[in-house]
Amino acid sequence: MPHRFVASLATLLFFFVTLSARPHSASAAETSIQHRVLIQGNGKLAVVEPDGQISWEMPWGGIHDLHVLPNGNYLTLKDTDKVVEINPKTKQIVWQYNAGKSNGNQGKRIEIHAAQMVAPDRIMVAESGPARIIEIDREGNLLKTIPLVVDHPNPHTDTRLVRRLENGNYLVAHEADGTAREYDGDTGKVIWEYKVPMFAKQAKGGHGPEAFGNRLFAAIRRPNGNTLIATGNGHSVIEVTPEKEIVWQIHQNDLPSIRLAWVTTLELLENGNIVLGNCHAGPNQPQLVEVDRATKQIVWTFQRFGDFGNNVSNTLLLDQNSTSTR
């Protein structure tokens, strides 16, 4: 057999193997970008390396929030009412706060969907049910309370993600209200709010791509003062100005070959790209999508349905953790 033919056959074989190994078919640009991902799904918390290998994992149930602390430990949630710190080296819980039994919550139905370390010895906990943000120390002592405005109170849907802003205020995604609200970090007064529009569509129940609503999951503040909102079952990401004008948006079918379902997490990268979580989207869709904000081109996708299933609601990019906003 001629050497030139053998070489061509080998090249063709390499092409097909490489193509079949790619997690999702999108733009050619995504082949040059890979990320290291911390993810929860299918009953485990895991680290997926850029080459696709799972390098670390431990059994863990569903969560709505996840952080890497300065010491390298993971801050996340457990059951419905606990905030925990995990040492990834030992896979042991090294700190825990039980919101259901602390600071006046005994006997109440409590759900925790967001927590964040806001100082070396200070943790924010968003309590759905009591409808409040609290700050505690590592002994669980109550340091601050901010009552939340909730139009449709329910321990499961009062809040999703909550983030402390650089100015000390709190930006809260109120799921059932369909509203993002910014609270003054000292007085608790609502100083800005935005109700996610329905875009002239009717509400439709469910969790997958056929559902529809405005049950937002996350809101983050851009350096220019605009707010990025993951609209949950609105299948979209929108950017609104302080004056509440939509200046950028991506909707369910705007990205080639991708159909958005319950859009959950947002991660704004230092280069301006946006990484969005695509939960309940089904086996043929990516769980994470990185989009170039300027061009709306797909930069990178993460599709591991077999490993992590249909309910991945929170992730973070470990290689971007020190520079991204999320």
Side-chain angles (χ1 to χ4, degrees):
M1 183 179 296
H3 292 296
R4 183 178 298 175
F5 178 78
V6 173
S8 298
L9 184 61
T11 300
L12 187 62
L13 179 60
F14 174 80
F15 171 78
F16 281 116
V17 170
T18 302
L19 185 63
S20 64
R22 289 177 63 189
H24 183 81
S25 177
S27 67
E30 70 178 287
T31 59
S32 64
I33 301 291
Q34 297 297 329
H35 292 297
R36 189 169 186 250
V37 181
L38 179 61
I39 183 171
Q40 190 282 328
N42 273 357
K44 58 179 175 288
L45 186 63
V47 174
V48 182
E49 299 296 335
D51 65 1
Q53 297 298 311
I54 296 177
S55 62
W56 179 93
E57 67 176 279
M58 65 180 290
W60 205 257
I63 56 172
H64 279 157
D65 210 354
L66 182 60
H67 302 268
V68 177
L69 300 180
N71 63 6
N73 290 352
Y74 302 152
L75 183 73
T76 189
L77 311 176
K78 185 176 187 293
D79 303 326
T80 59
D81 59 0
K82 299 177 183 66
V83 183
V84 300
E85 179 181 347
I86 300 170
N87 182 327
K89 294 180 180 179
T90 64
K91 301 183 180 180
Q92 298 298 310
I93 295 174
V94 296
W95 177 83
Q96 177 172 285
Y97 177 73
N98 188 333
K101 296 182 178 180
S102 305
N103 293 311
N105 287 339
Q106 292 84 349
K108 299 178 182 178
R109 182 186 168 193
I110 308 293
E111 291 193 20
I112 307 300
H113 300 282
Q116 181 184 16
M117 177 175 280
V118 296
D121 190 35
R122 201 176 186 100
I123 294 94
M124 177 280 296
V125 181
E127 297 184 337
S128 289
R132 64 180 186 173
I133 292 170
I134 64 171
E135 294 181 9
I136 58 172
D137 61 21
R138 284 191 170 270
E139 286 67 50
N141 298 310
L142 186 63
L143 306 176
K144 179 186 284 190
T145 302
I146 297 176
L148 297 175
V149 174
V150 180
D151 297 330
H152 301 89
N154 186 297
H156 186 59
T157 56
D158 284 349
T159 65
R160 277 304 179 257
L161 295 190
V162 176
R163 291 294 180 259
R164 190 180 192 219
L165 304 175
E166 289 188 1
N167 62 8
N169 293 347
Y170 279 104
L171 187 58
V172 181
H174 289 280
E175 182 184 5
D177 289 355
T179 303
R181 295 188 177 99
E182 180 180 349
Y183 294 82
D184 186 286
D186 293 321
T187 67
K189 180 181 178 181
V190 176
I191 62 172
W192 183 84
E193 69 176 13
Y194 180 82
K195 187 170 183 62
V196 174
M198 292 289 287
F199 296 99
K201 297 181 180 180
Q202 295 297 314
K204 187 176 181 181
H207 287 84
E210 302 302 329
F212 190 78
N214 61 354
R215 299 173 73 88
L216 73 165
F217 190 95
I220 60 175
R221 184 64 46 78
R222 289 193 64 211
N224 66 359
N226 292 352
T227 302
L228 284 166
I229 299 173
T231 68
N233 63 348
H235 317 306
S236 63
V237 179
I238 59 176
E239 179 180 340
V240 298
T241 67
E243 295 74 33
K244 305 180 185 180
E245 177 188 1
I246 297 177
V247 293
W248 187 89
Q249 54 194 310
I250 285 179
H251 291 273
Q252 184 171 43
N253 298 309
D254 288 350
L255 301 175
S257 76
I258 290 176
R259 194 175 192 206
L260 300 179
W262 202 293
V263 181
T264 55
T265 52
L266 291 173
E267 193 159 354
L268 178 63
L269 306 189
E270 190 175 29
N271 64 7
N273 290 354
I274 296 169
V275 179
L276 59 94
N278 189 27
C279 189
H280 304 306
N284 299 315
Q285 294 293 324
Q287 293 129 325
L288 291 171
V289 182
E290 179 179 350
V291 179
D292 184 314
R293 183 187 171 280
T295 65
K296 294 188 179 180
Q297 296 298 306
I298 301 167
V299 177
W300 170 82
T301 60
F302 180 95
Q303 184 175 333
R304 297 287 289 270
F305 187 90
D307 290 315
F308 300 106
N310 204 37
N311 298 318
V312 174
S313 59
N314 204 296
T315 63
L316 64 84
L317 304 185
L318 291 172
D319 56 295
Q320 304 290 317
N321 184 59
S322 62
T323 58
S324 68
T325 301
R326 55 183 299 278

